[in-house]
């Protein structure tokens, strides 16, 4: 799937894996200050509702 974005998430909306285009699409989520730590997976819901840049 090199010509389309792809990502894997779980039921808690954690992004578990992406291909190259998926990582570009979700780069704001990966770089969000709402992440608990660099080890924890990025969370789409946390980004959507708590990221100060989205206000």
């Amino acid at each position: 799937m090199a010509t389309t974005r792809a990502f894997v998430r779980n039921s808690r909306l954690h992004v578990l894996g992406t291909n190259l285009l998926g990582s570009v699409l979700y780069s704001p989520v990966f770089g969000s200050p709402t992440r608990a730590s660099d080890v924890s997976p990025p969370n789409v819901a946390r980004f959507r509702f708590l990221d100060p840049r989205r206000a």
Side-chain angles (χ1 to χ4, degrees):
M1 294 180 64
T3 60
T4 187
R5 59 147 171 61
F7 67 98
V8 176
R9 68 168 176 81
N10 62 13
S11 62
R12 294 183 178 189
L13 299 177
H14 291 118
V15 178
L16 303 177
T18 65
N19 66 358
L20 181 61
L21 293 176
S23 65
V24 171
L25 179 67
Y26 285 98
S27 63
V29 179
F30 283 97
S32 175
T34 62
R35 283 183 72 181
S37 71
D38 289 338
V39 180
S40 65
N43 186 282
V44 177
R46 183 179 293 270
F47 171 75
R48 176 74 175 120
F49 294 109
L50 298 178
D51 192 284
R53 298 173 292 181
R54 304 247 339 133

